[in-house]
Amino acid sequence: DTVTLEVRTDNEPALALYHALGLEDVGVRPRYYHDGADAMIMRGELPLHYSYGDAHPESAPMHTGDGPQAASGAAAQATRPL
């Protein structure tokens, strides 16, 4: 199964999130929005997997002192199914 969506080409936070989920840019819909903005067409395979570090490395889970130590390196970048 696949998912397809459109997102404004100037919506950088949404684009970063969708790329982190594994969606790929597959085309552009010119003047898709009422204000004339273009839309990026994106497609991905289900289930989507999110990698915290791909969207915003600074937002990756941090060790708070409660429970086990947070993983580092490749383990910290592991993907999780949504």
Side-chain angles (χ1 to χ4, degrees):
D1 292 328
T2 62
V3 61
T4 303
L5 60 83
E6 290 90 3
V7 61
R8 289 178 69 102
T9 55
D10 60 357
N11 189 342
E12 293 180 19
L15 288 166
L17 172 64
Y18 296 141
H19 285 136
L21 288 170
L23 278 75
E24 298 180 357
D25 303 340
V26 295
V28 174
R29 294 192 195 281
R31 297 171 305 283
Y32 182 76
Y33 293 96
H34 69 280
D35 63 355
D38 296 341
M40 178 67 63
I41 305 166
M42 302 183 80
R43 184 173 299 138
E45 296 295 320
L46 295 175
L48 299 175
H49 292 281
Y50 181 75
S51 177
Y52 289 106
D54 287 348
H56 297 284
E58 70 279 2
S59 67
M62 296 178 6
H63 175 61
T64 63
D66 299 330
Q69 289 281 343
S72 63
Q77 298 297 321
T79 60
R80 296 176 9 164
L82 294 179

